Amino acid sequence: MKVLVIDYGMGNLGSVRRAFEECGADVLTSANSRDALTAERIVLPGVGAFLDGMAHLHAGDWPGQLRTALENPEVRLLGICLGMQLLADSGEEGGRTAGLGLIAGEVRRLEPEDANTRIPHVGWNEVNSTRPDRLLQLIPDGTDFYFVHSYHFRPASPALVLGTTPYCGDFASVVGAGNVYGVQFHPEKSSRPGFQVIRNFLAR
C-alpha cells in the first residue's frame, strides 16, 4: 500500500511515518504536491494553527492536487489533529480562514463547561462511534485515544460525524465524507487502538 505523508512544514512526520510503516505501509514523506496523484492513501498530519496550516498548504500547491487525487474513489485521505481541522470549510484560529472544504463544517475553539475544564484538551480520552464505519472497526466504544488540541471540528451535518468524545460537551473526534476521513486524536501516539485505526484506514 503506497502511502503519502504530506510534508507542509507543520506535522509530526517522524512518528506518523513510523506508525504507518509498522502497520505495513510503503510510506513516502514528501513536500511535492504532485506525489498525491500516485498515492493510494494520503495522510495530512498537523500541529499548529489553522491559519498557518492553510498558508503552508497553499504555498505547496496542495489543495488542487488533493482534490484531483481524491476524484479516484479508491484513494483515501486521513487528516490527523490539525490535519483533520484543515479538511473543514473554514476555521477561526488566527482569524477566519477558508479551509480545504473536503468535509463540510467549521473549526471553532473549545468552550469550557466550567472553571475546572482545561483548554487545551490534553491527554487520553474516550471515543464513541455514532454509526458503523470501517475506520473504527474492531474498536470498542469507550476506547481511549491521545488528544492535544484547543479547537474542534463542527461538521455541517450529523451524518458526517463518525465518533464523539465527551469533553466540553461531546465534540466530533472522528469525521468522514466519502473517501476523506479526519481524527482529532493522534493515532500514532495512541498505542494499539491508534494502530488499529491506521490498519483500518489502509485496508482495501
Side-chain angles (χ1 to χ4, degrees):
M1 179 67 66
K2 294 181 179 179
V3 175
L4 168 66
V5 175
I6 298 174
D7 178 5
Y8 64 113
M10 297 188 68
N12 226 348
L13 301 181
S15 58
V16 171
R17 178 181 186 126
R18 286 191 296 273
F20 273 81
E21 287 177 338
E22 287 189 38
C23 291
D26 177 11
V27 181
L28 170 66
T29 300
S30 177
N32 184 345
S33 61
R34 290 189 296 275
D35 286 326
L37 303 179
T38 56
E40 297 172 273
R41 300 287 185 271
I42 302 170
V43 182
L44 178 60
V47 176
F50 193 102
L51 176 67
D52 295 336
M54 285 308 303
H56 281 72
L57 288 175
H58 282 295
D61 192 34
W62 286 102
Q65 298 286 18
L66 290 175
R67 290 189 185 91
T68 299
L70 291 168
E71 289 175 1
N72 180 350
E74 299 301 315
V75 173
R76 293 182 212 153
L77 182 149
L78 176 66
I80 297 173
C81 196
L82 175 63
M84 166 185 169
Q85 296 175 6
L86 296 174
L87 302 176
D89 294 319
S90 67
E92 65 179 17
E93 186 178 11
R96 179 67 62 179
T97 305
L100 291 170
L102 296 175
I103 298 182
E106 59 183 1
V107 175
R108 292 188 177 180
R109 186 170 175 82
L110 288 167
E111 297 283 347
E113 292 181 287
D114 54 48
N116 296 319
T117 303
R118 295 184 178 182
I119 307 297
H121 172 216
V122 179
W124 295 84
N125 206 340
E126 65 188 60
V127 170
N128 298 294
S129 65
T130 56
R131 62 180 174 88
D133 188 272
R134 59 187 170 191
L135 192 68
L136 296 178
Q137 284 180 347
L138 304 178
I139 299 172
D141 277 355
T143 298
D144 285 344
F145 293 85
Y146 188 76
F147 292 84
V148 183
H149 64 116
S150 299
Y151 288 76
H152 69 113
F153 195 124
R154 294 183 57 179
S157 166
L160 301 172
V161 181
L162 302 180
T164 61
T165 294
Y167 201 83
C168 296
D170 278 353
F171 69 84
S173 50
V174 187
V175 295
N179 53 347
V180 180
Y181 291 93
V183 292
Q184 184 60 66
F185 55 82
H186 286 272
E188 78 280 6
K189 297 181 180 180
S190 297
S191 190
R192 290 182 180 178
F195 277 46
Q196 185 62 54
V197 169
I198 292 172
R199 292 189 186 96
N200 291 343
F201 174 67
L202 294 174
R204 296 186 185 277

